Amino acid sequence: MGNSLVLQSDFGTSDGAVSAMYGVANTIDPTLRIFDLTHHISQFNIWEASYRLVQTLPYWPEHTVFVSVVDPGVGTDRRSVVAKTKTNHYVVTPDNGTLTHLNQQYGIAEVREIDETINRFPKSENSYTFHGRDIYAYTGAKLASGVITFAQVGPSAEEDIVLLPMFESRIEGNSVKGNIDILDVRFGNVWTNINRSLLHDLNIQTGDMVKVKVYGELGTILNKRLIYARTFGEVPVGEPVMYVNSIDKIGIAINQGSFADLYNISMGNKWFIKITAYDR
């Protein structure tokens, strides 16, 4: 039995694009197990795609093949690559920054550039705007099913991969500073890149009150006193709370409400958060 193939894109599911990717993969191996990570990445949002990979990949078995297609530069001279992570997973993607979070958290062991003369859906040579179907799903399926080895993807990519700028969370005086890494889209929670251990280093513990400042290019969006709790239900409905999310990072939420919507907060390397114990 081959390895699983997991697909991610910004295509949505209201037309036939994702189904076409499934179809191409099935031409390689109709028994291949194909799963969706998500197809609702915000349009052209490479940062979000990068984060969703690092959020998901470590929970899949080694040798799982991921295909991530958020590709505003489709058809240009940006490279098409397959990266092998140090966790022994594979990611088929345009080399446009999608590997940023994986590289930062787990490390990239090796990258190969896809040889499109052999790893491309037959008779698609004149198609320039759907590489998710013609190159990425096709190559990913060949790799996951064992039709090709990693070495047969193409030549070793000698140049460094493209990485998006990142801000490393850190202690600054009696505060912790980090990024708004992502939004918990359905519920409007704000997820940061601040590890729980950094708050522990400052002796900030659950039950403490904290000052939370959120700011970006347009200045300060929020400067508010919150409680650091274990879960949402420790505050009344409609009240804000700081907590540890499912990947051991600090999050901000409203019990049964959307923190991101209420304060018009977004995500990425230009959105910052600063947390300080309230009595300091």
Side-chain angles (χ1 to χ4, degrees):
M1 180 179 292
N3 298 301
S4 298
L5 183 68
V6 182
L7 306 180
Q8 170 176 272
S9 75
D10 59 353
F11 297 158
T13 53
S14 59
D15 64 14
V18 174
S19 183
M21 294 172 69
Y22 269 74
V24 164
N26 271 273
T27 67
I28 302 300
D29 181 359
T31 69
L32 184 63
R33 295 176 301 168
I34 309 173
F35 303 89
D36 296 315
L37 193 163
T38 180
H39 295 289
H40 296 284
I41 299 293
S42 304
Q43 291 173 321
F44 317 121
N45 196 323
I46 298 167
W47 177 277
E48 186 179 355
S50 173
Y51 187 91
R52 295 304 178 199
L53 284 173
V54 81
Q55 179 187 3
T56 308
L57 178 144
Y59 300 101
W60 285 81
E62 290 187 10
H63 310 298
T64 299
V65 178
F66 291 79
V67 171
S68 182
V69 192
V70 177
D71 194 12
V74 62
T76 67
D77 59 0
R78 60 93 185 95
R79 296 186 301 177
S80 297
V81 300
V82 180
K84 181 180 181 181
T85 68
K86 291 184 178 179
T87 57
N88 291 319
H89 298 84
Y90 298 94
V91 183
V92 187
T93 185
D95 181 22
N96 60 7
T98 307
L99 299 169
T100 298
H101 285 84
L102 287 173
N103 180 71
Q104 186 266 343
Q105 188 155 333
Y106 298 111
I108 302 298
E110 187 179 354
V111 180
R112 290 187 172 270
E113 186 168 0
I114 298 173
D115 182 349
E116 297 179 14
T117 65
I118 56 175
N119 291 315
R120 185 182 183 119
F121 189 60
K123 299 181 180 179
S124 69
E125 293 81 6
N126 293 317
S127 173
Y128 301 102
T129 59
F130 199 178
H131 287 179
R133 175 196 64 195
D134 301 333
I135 298 172
Y136 302 134
Y138 185 72
T139 302
K142 290 174 74 174
L143 184 60
S145 62
V147 172
I148 60 172
T149 65
F150 181 52
Q152 291 173 313
V153 165
S156 180
E158 297 179 358
E159 299 177 11
D160 291 339
I161 58 173
V162 174
L163 298 174
L164 303 174
M166 295 191 77
F167 179 86
E168 297 279 350
S169 59
R170 65 191 66 165
I171 293 174
E172 295 184 350
N174 64 352
S175 302
V176 181
K177 182 179 178 181
N179 268 142
I180 304 299
D181 229 0
I182 203 74
L183 304 180
D184 184 354
V185 177
R186 183 157 179 83
F187 296 102
N189 302 336
V190 171
W191 285 17
T192 78
N193 70 337
I194 297 174
N195 292 314
R196 174 178 53 85
S197 60
L198 288 179
L199 269 66
H200 183 268
D201 290 344
L202 286 178
N203 198 31
I204 299 175
Q205 303 174 5
T206 54
D208 289 348
M209 298 303 296
V210 293
K211 297 177 187 176
V212 175
K213 179 180 179 181
V214 177
Y215 56 103
E217 291 182 307
L218 299 179
T220 299
I221 305 298
L222 171 75
N223 200 352
K224 192 174 181 66
R225 176 187 177 193
L226 304 179
I227 189 169
Y228 178 28
R230 292 177 302 161
T231 189
F232 315 115
E234 294 185 23
V235 300
V237 172
E239 290 296 314
V241 62
M242 189 176 83
Y243 68 104
V244 177
N245 67 17
S246 58
I247 57 172
D248 211 31
K249 308 279 189 180
I250 298 302
I252 311 292
I254 290 178
N255 186 14
Q256 299 184 36
S258 173
F259 197 93
D261 287 348
L262 180 62
Y263 294 102
N264 198 26
I265 294 173
S266 191
M267 61 185 160
N269 54 18
K270 296 181 180 179
W271 283 84
F272 296 95
I273 182 169
K274 188 174 183 180
I275 301 167
T276 309
Y278 186 67
D279 58 353
R280 299 178 190 174

